Amino acid sequence: KRMANLDPPRVILIGGSPMSGKSTVARTTAAQLGSSVIATDDLGAAARGVTSPAVVPDLYAMHKGDHREYCISHSVEELLEHAQRSHRALWPAIESVIHEHATWACSTIIEGWALLPDLVARLDLSGVAGVWIDVPESVLEARVRETTAFYAGASNPDLMIRQFTRRSVEFGRWLRAQTSALDLPLVRLSGRESPEEASNALLGAITA
């Protein structure tokens, strides 16, 4: 259902930790507004398809073999450091897409944990607004455990789930500090909201 009486930005950026619900909220919001959706994960896959680790090594920081064993074999601190390097290496591509949609292309919603608050805050573009999602640790872990295909076949599934969840929790902690310091909107959800309720909360945060 398309929402009436709304004047949203041309480009809405939805960030947050993995499993925080970004993709679901982005799709729901796009349906309400009649916008397209772009995932930064897809932009990363496209970027890696036209380059190599020798050219942009940081772009591959999180892509070191099987994702399951990758989570198991690295500390949470290493996983976070790799994520930061990868996201920052991808930022020029993300920024280019943001600029295109803000200036002449169709309105869109871009979602992904590669949307770092300090980078978004530096954008000098009208018609662009960012918002971040925060959910409790219990919700993050429950969602990981529900996604059985994600960890099926791991040598130590429980360890992989704990590592993945802990990385998301620590990344969320960093996001809370960043958004607070930069005065950017962060919406805390319980995880029990419907997609429509979560979408309305995010739209309220950026159009208030």
Side-chain angles (χ1 to χ4, degrees):
K1 179 181 179 180
R2 186 163 183 162
M3 297 185 72
N5 303 318
L6 271 181
D7 185 23
R10 285 183 59 83
V11 180
I12 297 175
L13 309 175
I14 301 177
S17 296
M19 297 293 175
S20 60
K22 304 178 301 299
S23 299
T24 299
V25 172
R27 288 193 297 268
T28 301
T29 305
Q32 292 176 324
L33 300 178
S35 297
S36 62
V37 179
I38 299 171
T40 61
D41 283 350
D42 290 339
L43 296 180
R48 289 187 296 277
V50 294
T51 186
S52 70
V55 177
V56 191
D58 284 349
L59 195 58
Y60 296 79
M62 292 191 295
H63 297 269
K64 301 179 178 181
D66 186 285
H67 73 277
R68 296 161 297 189
E69 302 311 310
Y70 166 72
C71 283
I72 292 170
S73 62
H74 291 82
S75 68
V76 172
E77 291 73 21
E78 288 172 329
L79 295 175
L80 286 167
E81 191 263 335
H82 293 169
Q84 286 277 357
R85 284 167 48 198
S86 180
H87 296 337
R88 293 181 188 281
L90 182 61
W91 178 247
I94 298 172
E95 186 175 19
S96 178
V97 172
I98 293 171
H99 187 275
E100 179 173 314
H101 283 271
T103 54
W104 68 271
C106 63
S107 62
T108 194
I109 295 171
I110 301 177
E111 63 87 9
W113 69 309
L115 296 168
L116 305 183
D118 61 306
L119 299 179
V120 172
R122 297 175 198 167
L123 289 171
D124 187 19
L125 289 169
S126 61
V128 178
V131 60
W132 286 261
I133 299 173
D134 188 43
V135 297
E137 178 176 353
S138 59
V139 173
L140 294 172
E141 181 172 353
R143 288 174 177 171
V144 176
R145 291 190 178 279
E146 289 168 1
T147 314
T148 54
F150 182 66
Y151 57 83
S155 60
N156 189 331
D158 282 340
L159 178 57
M160 183 199 166
I161 291 168
R162 289 198 302 273
Q163 289 283 93
F164 187 92
T165 301
R166 178 49 52 186
R167 181 185 66 175
S168 288
V169 168
E170 293 303 321
F171 188 74
R173 192 191 312 277
W174 180 80
L175 285 178
R176 289 193 295 274
Q178 284 280 301
T179 53
S180 176
L182 296 166
D183 195 26
L184 294 171
L186 179 139
V187 176
R188 298 195 176 195
L189 300 174
S190 68
R192 296 187 296 273
E193 297 87 356
S194 69
E196 291 75 17
E197 289 171 336
S199 174
N200 290 339
L202 266 65
L203 286 172
I206 62 175
T207 58

